[in-house]
Amino acid sequence: MILRNRILEDGIPCHFSAAVMAGFSATVVASPVDVVKTRFMNSPVGKYKNAVDCAVKTAVKEGPSAFYKGFVPAFSRLVSWNICMWITYEQIKKAVDQSFRS
């Protein structure tokens, strides 16, 4: 999308931006699941029937924002990992491609 719309050229700024967007997307999707899993696993026996019951009770009692508690630390962790991984991967891929073209 970044390349197709010519927002950035293929390079480190493009890879950095894509890694941040990927980290944000992953955190938005995974955070509610992580919150429910953590609450369910740390709850006393019998508090929740199952994970779905935990999610419903959390939503009713605390609202949708409860599913995004801890968003900033999770986002920071995922974004920093994505930046390191994708920039490294793309630079190695570029070096390997250039070595085979020579």
Side-chain angles (χ1 to χ4, degrees), residues 17-68:
S17 300
V20 171
M21 288 187 286
F24 179 78
S25 300
T27 307
V28 166
V29 171
S31 190
V33 176
D34 286 341
V35 167
V36 170
K37 177 195 66 121
T38 301
R39 287 180 181 217
F40 185 61
M41 289 177 61
N42 291 330
S43 67
V45 176
K47 182 172 183 176
Y48 303 113
K49 296 175 190 169
N50 51 41
V52 174
D53 182 50
C54 177
V56 169
K57 286 182 179 175
T58 299
V60 169
K61 185 176 179 184
E62 299 177 54
S65 64
F67 295 107
Y68 292 96

Side-chain angles (χ1 to χ4, degrees), residues 10 89-102:
D10 192 14
Y89 170 78
E90 290 293 341
Q91 293 305 304
I92 290 171
K93 186 174 94 170
K94 182 179 176 181
V96 169
D97 286 347
Q98 286 176 351
S99 71
F100 279 112
R101 289 184 189 159
S102 301

